């Protein structure tokens, strides 16, 4: 058990180091973490999202996401558009100004990530993905033992 605790500490240290790097990158772009993550999601995806979907995907509170969206909208980086047949749930869409901003900011971070992954062989990348997925699945299964049915 002591060996597993030691390995867990190492794993958490790596995870936290990665999060610190993303935090520093967001700060260097003049963005709060949440705003950066929203722009990143919109750039990496070929679809639009509602605020609720972003909250769910990022496991962030509605208040945190709403605040970031207001900041991004006030800066002219995104707009809210009605989806077909649904006037209630508005979709988030990058404006031309937002796209230009992302080209000189978020896209550079994506480029850094691609450069970092290029240091791995294709087999190493697949192993990294497979092992991270396995940990996520195993952790979720263990967490279900602790999480009450009322909070699911």
């Amino acid at each position: 058990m002591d060996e597993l605790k030691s390995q867990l500490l190492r794993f958490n240290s790596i995870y936290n180091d990665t999060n610190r790097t993303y935090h520093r990158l967001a700060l260097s772009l003049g963005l709060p973490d949440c705003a950066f993550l929203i722009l990143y999601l919109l750039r990496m995806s070929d679809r639009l999202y509602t605020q609720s979907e972003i909250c769910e995907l990022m496991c962030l509170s509605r208040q945190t996401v709403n605040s970031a969206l207001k900041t991004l909208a006030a800066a002219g980086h995104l707009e809210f558009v009605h989806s077909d047949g649904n006037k209630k749930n508005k979709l988030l869409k990058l404006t031309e100004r937002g796209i230009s901003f992302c080209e000189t900011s978020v896209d550079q971070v994506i480029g850094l990530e691609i450069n970092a992954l290029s240091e791995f062989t294709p087999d190493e990348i697949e192993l990294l993905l497979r092992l991270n997925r396995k940990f996520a699945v195993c952790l979720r299964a263990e967490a279900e033992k602790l999480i009450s049915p009322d909070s699911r």
Side-chain angles (χ1 to χ4, degrees):
M1 187 61 144
D2 285 339
E3 180 64 23
L4 285 177
K5 268 188 166 178
S6 173
Q7 290 168 328
L8 182 58
L9 281 170
R10 288 174 51 211
F11 177 83
N12 287 334
S13 177
I14 294 165
Y15 178 82
N16 290 332
D17 185 45
T18 302
N19 283 340
R20 266 190 303 281
T21 300
Y22 283 109
H23 173 70
R24 290 179 60 223
L25 285 165
L27 284 178
S28 75
L29 300 173
L31 294 168
D33 291 354
C34 185
F36 169 76
L37 291 171
I38 290 167
L39 292 176
Y40 184 98
L41 175 65
L42 294 175
R43 289 302 278 176
M44 289 294 288
S45 181
D46 57 356
R47 62 168 285 226
L48 303 178
Y49 294 90
T50 64
Q51 179 176 335
S52 295
E53 289 173 323
I54 287 177
C55 293
E56 173 97 11
L57 281 169
M58 296 183 182
C59 297
L60 294 170
S61 74
R62 188 165 188 80
Q63 181 180 1
T64 300
V65 171
N66 189 51
S67 176
L69 292 176
K70 283 182 179 178
T71 299
L72 291 170
H77 296 316
L78 63 81
E79 61 187 345
F80 302 91
V81 297
H82 292 288
S83 63
D84 293 335
N86 189 341
K87 299 268 185 206
K88 183 181 176 190
N89 289 326
K90 295 177 185 170
L91 298 170
L92 310 170
K93 181 181 178 188
L94 289 172
T95 62
E96 287 301 318
R97 181 180 178 135
I99 291 168
S100 294
F101 177 75
C102 286
E103 288 172 348
T104 62
S105 59
V106 175
D107 291 2
Q108 289 183 2
V109 173
I110 294 167
L112 297 174
E113 292 172 316
I114 290 169
N115 290 344
L117 276 178
S118 74
E119 298 293 321
F120 292 75
T121 67
D123 287 343
E124 287 172 331
I125 293 171
E126 283 304 316
L127 179 61
L128 177 69
L129 295 172
R130 212 169 42 250
L131 292 176
N132 273 284
R133 170 56 49 212
K134 182 175 181 177
F135 181 75
V137 168
C138 292
L139 180 61
R140 186 172 45 251
E142 289 297 318
E144 291 301 321
K145 298 174 187 175
L146 184 63
I147 298 171
S148 71
D150 296 338
S151 64
R152 289 183 192 162

